[in-house]
């Protein structure tokens, strides 16, 4: 089945967009590998090739995802993210170990982190909320992407009003993190939670604003009314 991965790489190379190729690196501080293919095109390639996997087992498909992650190319990580999300109806608790491995071993930029965590991990935690304690453990990892994952995996559940107490606990654990991408991650989580629980998130921000980095603070209050933003930003 590995020939499918070879064919995907060929198709990606056939769809290089010169503008995307020239602009891709500027969105990232860290050096990334990329083919230079627009995201909508990558998504179409994901769907088209997934059709060829009809009848294949979940284990076989996840094995192909592993190969795609291993390449380090951002577009190939997107294909892996899409495929693992397509399998969401068949997630089992035992999948957590593999999903964590992908974050810890292969994620090397915010876009791959968010694509995987928003969808696959976000779906997983809604199906198996007993794993929330594992997500809290992510907050003490030496790996910045694992720490960011602890927050951005809760974006979709937060949008649905889920896990508010846990969201605040994760924010507490990440509160003074020095990494700006982790700060943006938990600030984003709070921002989304604020769209359902504005008062609770505002109270949280006010209680912690003297210790919260301004980057996280700005993200957290972005969707709030002007007067609340002004109060939160006042020194």
């Amino acid at each position: 089945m590995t020939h499918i991965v070879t064919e995907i790489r060929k198709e990606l190379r056939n769809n290089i967009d010169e503008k995307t190729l020239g602009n891709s690196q500027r969105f990232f501080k860290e050096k990334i590998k990329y083919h230079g293919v627009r995201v909508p095109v990558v998504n179409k390639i994901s769907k088209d090739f997934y059709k060829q996997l009809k009848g294949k087992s979940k284990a076989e498909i996840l094995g192909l995802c592993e190969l795609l992650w291993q390449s380090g190319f951002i577009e190939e990580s997107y294909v892996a993210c899409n495929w693992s999300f397509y399998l969401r109806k068949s997630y089992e608790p035992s999948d957590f170990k593999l999903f964590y491995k992908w974050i810890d071993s292969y994620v090397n930029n915010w876009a791959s982190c968010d694509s995987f965590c928003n969808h696959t991990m976000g779906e997983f935690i809604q199906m198996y909320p007993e794993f929330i304690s594992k997500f809290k453990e992510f907050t003490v990892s030496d790996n910045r992407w694992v720490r960011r994952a602890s927050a951005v995996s809760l974006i979709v559940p937060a949008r649905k009003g889920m896990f508010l107490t846990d969201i605040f606990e994760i924010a507490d654990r990440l509160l003074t993190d020095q990494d700006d991408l982790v700060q943006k991650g938990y600030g984003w989580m709070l921002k989304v939670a604020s769209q359902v629980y504005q008062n609770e998130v505002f109270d949280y921000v006010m209680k912690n604003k003297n210790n919260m980095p301004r980057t996280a603070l700005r993200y957290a209050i972005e969707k709030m009314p002007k007067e609340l933003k002004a109060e939160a930003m006042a020194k």
Side-chain angles (χ1 to χ4, degrees):
M1 278 178 56
T2 56
H3 72 279
I4 292 178
V5 173
T6 303
E7 289 301 312
I8 287 170
R9 288 172 179 157
K10 190 167 157 189
E11 189 66 14
L12 288 168
R13 288 193 293 270
N14 287 340
N15 281 276
I16 290 171
D17 174 75
E18 290 303 322
K19 185 177 178 184
T20 302
L21 186 64
N23 288 340
S24 291
Q25 183 58 58
R26 73 186 182 90
F27 296 104
F28 304 92
K29 290 180 181 177
E30 58 284 333
K31 186 74 176 168
I32 63 162
K33 290 169 70 177
Y34 51 91
H35 292 291
V37 183
R38 294 172 60 244
V39 172
V41 176
V42 176
N43 290 339
K44 183 177 185 306
I45 290 170
S46 298
K47 286 180 183 172
D48 291 345
F49 277 89
Y50 192 74
K51 291 172 187 172
Q52 297 182 30
L53 302 178
K54 190 173 181 182
K56 301 300 180 185
S57 70
K58 182 175 82 170
E60 287 174 308
I61 297 170
L62 292 177
L64 294 175
C65 290
E66 176 98 13
L67 291 176
L68 290 162
W69 275 113
Q70 287 173 353
S71 76
F73 279 89
I74 194 167
E75 294 94 343
E76 294 182 37
S77 79
Y78 292 161
V79 176
C81 291
N82 287 337
W83 284 6
S84 63
F85 186 62
Y86 296 160
L87 291 167
R88 61 191 177 276
K89 289 183 180 175
S90 62
Y91 291 168
E92 300 167 276
S94 57
D95 294 325
F96 179 83
K97 188 176 179 182
L98 179 64
F99 293 163
Y100 171 76
K101 176 194 170 187
W102 289 351
I103 300 169
D104 192 39
S105 302
Y106 304 132
V107 168
N108 58 15
N109 64 81
W110 62 263
S112 296
C113 183
D114 296 357
S115 182
F116 182 66
C117 292
N118 284 180
H119 302 293
T120 295
M121 294 302 268
E123 188 69 26
F124 181 89
I125 195 60
Q126 289 175 77
M127 291 173 71
Y128 302 107
E130 64 271 23
F131 277 81
I132 193 67
S133 61
K134 296 290 187 183
F135 285 73
K136 291 173 186 176
E137 290 172 14
F138 288 8
T139 60
V140 296
S141 172
D142 290 335
N143 185 332
R144 71 194 304 199
W145 306 118
V146 174
R147 300 200 308 279
R148 183 177 172 101
S150 69
V152 299
S153 294
L154 294 180
I155 296 297
V156 174
R159 198 170 285 139
K160 298 176 181 179
M162 300 171 69
F163 297 115
L164 183 65
T165 301
D166 303 297
I167 283 168
F168 287 148
E169 186 177 339
I170 286 170
D172 281 345
R173 289 167 176 244
L174 298 175
L175 193 69
T176 58
D177 197 294
Q178 295 302 299
D179 192 303
D180 70 318
L181 287 170
V182 177
Q183 295 168 14
K184 290 174 181 177
Y186 88 77
W188 180 21
M189 174 183 69
L190 290 171
K191 172 174 67 177
V192 174
S194 79
Q195 294 176 264
V196 181
Y197 297 106
Q198 180 178 279
N199 292 338
E200 290 85 348
V201 174
F202 180 73
D203 289 345
Y204 178 86
V205 168
M206 292 302 292
K207 183 177 79 174
N208 292 285
K209 71 173 193 169
N210 291 333
N211 296 316
M212 187 183 291
R214 300 296 268 186
T215 297
L217 177 59
R218 287 191 190 95
Y219 267 73
I221 63 175
E222 189 178 342
K223 296 290 184 182
M224 292 187 184
K226 248 193 237 182
E227 61 276 12
L228 294 185
K229 280 188 190 177
E231 192 175 344
M233 290 298 289
K235 294 196 174 177

